[in-house]
Amino acid sequence: MTMNDADALIATQIRSVLAAAETGGGVAPIVEAGDPILRSVTRPFDGQVDDAELAQLAEVMRATMLAAPGVGLAGPQVGIGLSMFVAEDPGSLDPETAEVRQRTPMPLRVVLNADYTPATSEDVAFFEGCLSIPGYQAVVARPREIELRGQDLKGTPIAEVVSGWSARIVAHETDHLEGIMFLDKAEMRSLSTNTSVARFWSQPSTQKAAAELGFTLPSGMLM
């Protein structure tokens, strides 16, 4: 496949998603684990569609994310091999959970051509899930802070340090752009259904889960 063919395919994928959303109440189908697009490295946005279609795609991805419901959604999760994600988090209503997990509200962000690097050597580990692997969660260690780079919908460069739960969301979604899913990085002994997480592991920290399921938390994680 030539570069032009690859870009044409992405444009076709985008228009297919927009058409599906038009008949689906503004929401697109979410691709689930096993679809090869979730294991493929995305292509950068380079004008495959015009600004209006790109903005429309961002709206559809946000609507799809919120309807799921979720706090992040990447291009491959709606069947598009494009380096793009949306993320938005209302934060935690429980003060203790918000403090332990550093989960404060994150306004909507749409990021193109994203990549990240750790901005600290400190990792924290919590349960997380994925809209493409419905029904399951597992504990994943991620940097407490990351440095995010990319562009917004207008092409303005993004270079910022993201911390706490927002960093976890951004890292999770950016991983999707490289064909990486959260279970690739998870403590597999922690793998739990959503029902089991609600029943046994609803505490703000993961100390109890680590002790009883038999996995190790990052060094220095004392929560």
Side-chain angles (χ1 to χ4, degrees), residues 13 20 74 77 79-80 86 110 120 131 154 158 162 164 171 191 194 199 205 218:
Q13 290 170 339
Q77 293 182 277
I80 302 172
V86 298
V110 181
T120 175
L131 296 179
K154 296 180 179 179
I158 295 170
V162 185
L191 183 64
N194 289 346
R199 180 180 177 186
S205 79

Side-chain angles (χ1 to χ4, degrees), residues 16-217:
S16 176
V17 168
L18 295 181
E22 188 172 350
T23 60
V27 172
I30 294 177
V31 171
E32 294 189 355
D35 190 312
I37 198 165
L38 292 172
R39 291 306 194 177
S40 302
V41 177
T42 58
R43 292 185 59 80
F45 178 74
D46 190 25
Q48 291 93 341
V49 293
D50 62 27
D51 291 350
E53 284 179 300
L54 186 65
Q56 188 179 358
L57 175 60
E59 291 177 4
V60 166
M61 288 178 63
R62 178 177 185 260
T64 302
M65 171 187 72
L66 294 177
V71 293
L73 191 70
Q77 293 182 277
V78 289
I80 302 172
L82 180 68
S83 183
M84 175 178 179
F85 75 80
V86 298
E88 183 177 4
D89 183 24
S92 176
L93 295 177
D94 176 64
E96 183 183 1
T97 299
E99 180 180 3
V100 170
R101 300 181 187 178
Q102 290 185 289
R103 187 169 185 177
T104 56
M106 177 175 64
L108 173 66
R109 62 175 70 215
V110 181
V111 184
L112 303 169
N113 308 334
D115 70 85
Y116 73 92
T117 53
T120 175
S121 60
E122 182 184 6
D123 286 346
V124 288
F126 296 103
F127 278 98
E128 64 181 77
C130 179
L131 296 179
S132 292
I133 309 177
Y136 290 90
Q137 297 181 46
V139 172
V140 182
R142 295 192 185 274
R144 187 183 290 277
E145 292 185 335
I146 62 170
E147 183 176 346
L148 170 67
R149 295 171 297 275
Q151 293 87 41
D152 65 17
L153 284 178
K154 296 180 179 179
T156 304
I158 295 170
E160 62 177 288
V161 172
V162 185
S163 62
W165 201 263
S166 295
R168 177 170 298 273
I169 295 169
V170 168
H172 178 117
E173 300 309 328
T174 305
D175 281 353
H176 272 302
L177 308 179
E178 297 295 325
I180 298 168
M181 301 184 76
F182 85 103
L183 287 182
D184 299 335
K185 297 183 172 183
E187 291 283 351
M188 291 307 293
R189 290 185 67 94
S190 72
L191 183 64
S192 307
T193 63
N194 289 346
T195 300
S196 290
V197 172
R199 180 180 177 186
F200 298 111
W201 316 125
S202 60
Q203 305 84 9
S205 79
T206 44
Q207 289 285 342
K208 187 172 186 288
E212 297 190 20
L213 296 179
F215 61 90
T216 303
L217 294 174

